[in-house]
Amino acid sequence: MAIESAVTEVSIEANLKQFLLVLSVSLSVATLPQVFSWFRQIPYTLLLVIAGLGLALVDVRLVNLSPELILAIFLPPLLFEAAWNLKWGNLKRDMLPICLYAVLGVLISIIGVTIGLNQFTTVPLTTALLVGASLSATDPVSVTALFRELGVDKRLTTLMEGESLFNDGMAVVAFSFLVGLPLGKTQLGFQPVIIELFTVVGIGIAVGGLIGFGISYLTQRFDLPLVEQSLTLVSAYGTYIIAEELGGSGVIGVVTTGLILGNFGSRIGMNPRTRVIVSEFWEFIAFFVNSIVFLLIGDQVRFSVLADNLVIIGVTIGGMVLARVVSVYGLGFLTNKLANSEISLAEQTILWWGGLRGSVSIALALSVPTILAEREELIATVFGVVLFTLLVQGLTTKPLLENLNLLGDQPLRQEYLELVARQSALGRVLEYLDRVDERPGLDKEFCRYQETLIRGELNNLEEKIEKLQNDYPNLREFTTKQLRSELLAVEADTYADFVRSGRLNQELAPLLQDVLGGEH
C-alpha cells in the first residue's frame, strides 16, 4: 500500500508540473500581443497553435492529447459557454439554415471527403468514411473571436456558432456509428442510421432539458452567486457524463443545458449581478480551456508523419473544401428560397471559408481503436487538415472580410468611446482643479494656466466627437443604444439591491424595457 501511495503521489506531482508548464506557456503567448503590436493581427488561438508548432519543431512535448482529455474534460465547458451566450431570439431566426448546415452539412462533408479519398488514394472506404466523419465538425472559435473584435454583424456569428454547436453532436453520432464498420460491429443502412440518430440525439436533449430546467427552478429558491455559479459548472460536466452513460449524445445534452440556463434559467433564477458573475466566470473558463487546447494541438504535430502523408492530406483538404462549397452555397440557396433567410453571397463565402476544424476532429481521430491498421495514417491526415484550416483559412479570414466589405464599425466605435472617456476624465480633472484652487500656497497663475490647457483640450475633443458623429450617423444610434443599456442596468441593479436588503421578495422585470422600447 505504501508503494502504491508513493507512486500515486509521484504521478500527481508529475501531472501538476506538466499542467503548470502548459499554463505558463499559454499565458506567455497571451501577453505577446500586448508587448508587440504586430501580433495583434493574429487571433489569439492561432497564435497559440503557432507557438505549439514551434515547440513541436524542437521536439518539446508538453502533454499527450487523448480523446478522453478533449471530449470529457475540455469539450463540455467550451460547449456550455458558447450555448450560454447564444441568444435564443437570434438562434430562432436562423434555426432552419443552422439545422440544415449542422445535419445535412455533416452528411455532405463526409461524402465529399470519402469520395475524394476513395477515388484518388488507396485509403480503404471504411477509413475514408472515418476521416470524413472526424472532419465534419466545425470549430470556428478563432473566426468568431475575430468577428467580435472587428464588430462583424452578430448574425454571422450566430450562424457560425449555431452550426458548430449542433454539428459537433451530429459529427460525434456519425463517427460513433461509422467506427464500427471496419471492425464489423455495424452495417451501413438507412434504417439503423436513423434509429441511432434519433435515439442518441433524443436522449441528449432529454437529459439536457431535465437538468437545465431543474437547475433553473432550483436557483429561484435562493440568491447565492457562488453556489449558482458552481451549479452551472456541475451541470456542464454532469449533463455530458449522464447523457453518455445513458447512450445519448453528451454534446447535444450540454448544448441543450447551456441554451436553457443562458436564456431561461439566468432570467428567472438569477439576479442581474449574479448573471454578470456567472458570464464572466464562463468567459474565463473558455479562455483558459482554449488556451490549453490550441497550444496542445500545435504541440502534438509530428512533422515527419505529416510529410509521409502529404498526398492524402492534400486530397482530403480538396474534398473537404469542395464539400463545404456544396454545403454552404447549396443549403444557403435552399433556405433563402424556403424561409427567405436572406443570407447574402458574401456571408455564405465567410461561412464557407471560416468553417475551421479543431479539437473535436482531433479527439475523434485519436479515439479510433488501435486495432485498425490505418489508424496512424488517419490521425496524421486529420492533424494535417486541422492545421491547414487553422493556419491558412484562419489567417486569411480577416482580409476576406475586408474584401467582401463585411467589417463592422467596431474600430470606429472604439475610437469614439476613447474620445468620450478622455473627455469625461478631463472633465473630472477640471472639477478637481476648481476645488483645490483656493488651497493656501498654490500659485493662482499656474492653476489658471492648467485650467486653460485643459479647457483647450476639452474643446478639441468635443470637436472630434462632433465630427465623428456628423461623418458617421450610425454612431448616434450606437450612443443611444448604449445609454438605453446603461439605464436598464441601473434599474435592474436597484431592484437587485432591494431584493438583497429584504425589501422585495422577488426580482422585478425592468420597467424601462417597455417604456424605452415604446419610444422607438
Side-chain angles (χ1 to χ4, degrees):
M1 288 296 291
I3 295 175
E4 289 181 4
S5 178
V7 171
T8 302
E9 288 177 5
V10 170
S11 177
I12 292 173
E13 184 180 354
N15 289 333
L16 182 59
K17 287 179 180 178
Q18 282 185 312
F19 173 74
L20 290 175
L21 179 60
V22 173
L23 193 57
S24 299
V25 174
S26 299
L27 295 178
S28 299
V29 173
T31 62
L32 285 177
Q34 307 305 319
V35 179
F36 305 102
S37 57
W38 183 84
F39 285 108
R40 294 172 193 165
Q41 305 298 317
I42 305 174
Y44 166 62
T45 48
L46 300 188
L47 203 57
L48 284 164
V49 174
I50 295 170
L53 286 171
L55 292 173
L57 193 62
V58 295
D59 202 29
V60 175
R61 307 297 174 180
L62 299 173
V63 176
N64 287 325
L65 273 180
S66 67
E68 294 79 14
L69 186 65
I70 296 176
L71 291 176
I73 305 299
F74 292 156
L75 194 57
L78 291 177
L79 291 170
F80 186 92
E81 188 271 340
W84 169 275
N85 289 308
L86 195 60
K87 302 305 177 190
W88 175 250
N90 298 336
L91 184 64
K92 186 169 62 174
R93 175 192 171 186
D94 288 310
M95 186 58 78
L96 179 61
I98 286 173
C99 287
L100 286 178
Y101 287 145
V103 179
L104 294 182
V106 166
L107 184 62
I108 293 170
S109 178
I110 294 173
I111 292 172
V113 171
T114 302
I115 290 175
L117 288 174
N118 193 246
Q119 292 294 316
F120 301 103
T121 69
T122 57
V123 175
L125 178 62
T126 52
T127 305
L129 284 167
L130 286 179
V131 173
S134 299
L135 292 169
S136 62
T138 58
D139 185 10
V141 172
S142 309
V143 174
T144 52
L146 187 67
F147 285 178
R148 294 188 185 96
E149 180 186 336
L150 299 175
V152 175
D153 185 62
K154 288 183 179 179
R155 188 195 181 195
L156 200 51
T157 304
T158 301
L159 284 168
M160 295 201 78
E161 287 189 331
E163 177 196 3
S164 176
L165 282 175
F166 291 113
N167 78 2
D168 281 352
M170 294 299 107
V172 172
V173 171
F175 182 88
S176 300
F177 182 83
L178 293 173
V179 77
L181 289 177
L183 304 176
K185 294 181 179 179
T186 58
Q187 291 185 343
L188 199 59
F190 181 77
Q191 187 175 351
V193 169
I194 294 298
I195 293 174
E196 177 80 6
L197 178 66
F198 276 96
T199 301
V200 172
V201 172
I203 292 174
I205 292 174
V207 172
L210 284 172
I211 293 177
F213 284 116
I215 291 178
S216 297
Y217 286 109
L218 180 63
T219 53
Q220 278 188 301
R221 307 301 176 195
F222 50 79
D223 181 21
L224 298 169
L226 293 179
V227 173
E228 294 172 69
Q229 176 179 287
S230 302
L231 279 173
T232 59
L233 183 62
V234 171
S235 71
Y237 283 106
T239 302
Y240 185 88
I241 293 170
I242 293 171
E244 290 290 325
E245 286 293 324
L246 294 176
S249 169
V251 174
I252 295 295
V254 174
V255 170
T256 304
T257 301
L259 282 172
I260 291 171
L261 288 176
N263 291 275
F264 177 70
S266 64
R267 301 297 168 188
I268 71 162
M270 298 180 185
N271 67 49
R273 288 185 179 176
T274 301
R275 286 200 296 271
V276 171
I277 290 171
V278 174
S279 295
E280 289 178 348
F281 168 75
W282 280 104
E283 184 179 354
F284 162 72
I285 292 292
F287 166 79
F288 184 78
V289 174
N290 274 319
S291 298
I292 296 172
V293 170
F294 282 93
L295 179 69
L296 293 182
I297 286 175
D299 184 55
Q300 298 298 299
V301 170
R302 301 292 192 273
F303 290 100
S304 59
V305 179
L306 290 185
D308 293 338
N309 292 277
L310 277 180
V311 174
I312 296 175
I313 292 171
V315 171
T316 305
I317 291 171
M320 182 193 68
V321 171
L322 289 176
R324 185 75 180 163
V325 169
V326 174
S327 171
V328 171
Y329 290 103
L331 297 177
F333 174 80
L334 191 62
T335 58
N336 284 345
K337 288 294 184 184
L338 294 178
N340 196 25
S341 299
E342 298 180 354
I343 305 174
S344 67
L345 283 176
E347 290 173 326
Q348 290 178 39
T349 301
I350 295 298
L351 289 173
W352 160 61
W353 193 246
L356 311 185
R357 270 59 172 180
S359 54
V360 175
S361 295
I362 288 174
L364 293 177
L366 290 172
S367 67
V368 171
T370 53
I371 193 173
L372 188 65
E374 296 84 9
R375 181 177 184 271
E376 294 304 318
E377 188 178 50
L378 185 152
I379 292 173
T381 302
V382 171
F383 259 99
V385 175
V386 168
L387 283 179
F388 172 84
T389 65
L390 290 175
L391 298 180
V392 177
Q393 293 179 232
L395 291 175
T396 54
T397 298
K398 183 177 179 179
L400 186 60
L401 285 166
E402 292 172 347
N403 290 330
L404 294 173
N405 296 318
L406 288 176
L407 284 183
D409 56 0
Q410 186 65 25
L412 190 64
R413 292 183 181 184
Q414 187 61 36
E415 181 185 355
Y416 173 79
L417 290 174
E418 287 175 2
L419 290 173
V420 171
R422 291 179 62 193
Q423 186 185 45
S424 299
L426 290 180
R428 291 186 182 182
V429 170
L430 199 59
E431 290 174 4
Y432 182 78
L433 193 59
D434 288 338
R435 290 198 301 271
V436 302
D437 189 41
E438 300 300 324
R439 182 183 296 176
L442 281 179
D443 186 343
K444 306 295 182 184
E445 287 299 322
F446 177 77
C447 286
R448 280 194 287 272
Y449 175 68
Q450 294 297 322
E451 182 180 346
T452 302
L453 289 178
I454 293 169
R455 290 192 184 279
E457 184 59 28
L458 281 170
N459 289 334
N460 288 336
L461 289 171
E462 191 173 342
E463 288 175 5
K464 289 179 180 178
I465 290 172
E466 187 176 354
K467 185 176 186 303
L468 273 178
Q469 288 181 331
N470 291 333
D471 292 346
Y472 304 98
N474 287 342
L475 276 178
R476 295 187 184 276
E477 183 183 353
F478 167 65
T479 55
T480 302
K481 288 182 178 179
Q482 192 178 42
L483 176 60
R484 182 172 178 271
S485 298
E486 290 170 5
L487 294 175
L488 288 169
V490 170
E491 185 196 4
D493 282 345
T494 306
Y495 293 148
D497 288 337
F498 270 76
V499 172
R500 274 189 290 275
S501 65
R503 287 176 285 175
L504 272 179
N505 292 326
Q506 62 180 7
E507 190 77 26
L508 296 179
L511 177 65
L512 286 177
Q513 188 78 46
D514 296 325
V515 176
L516 295 177
E519 293 178 0
H520 297 289

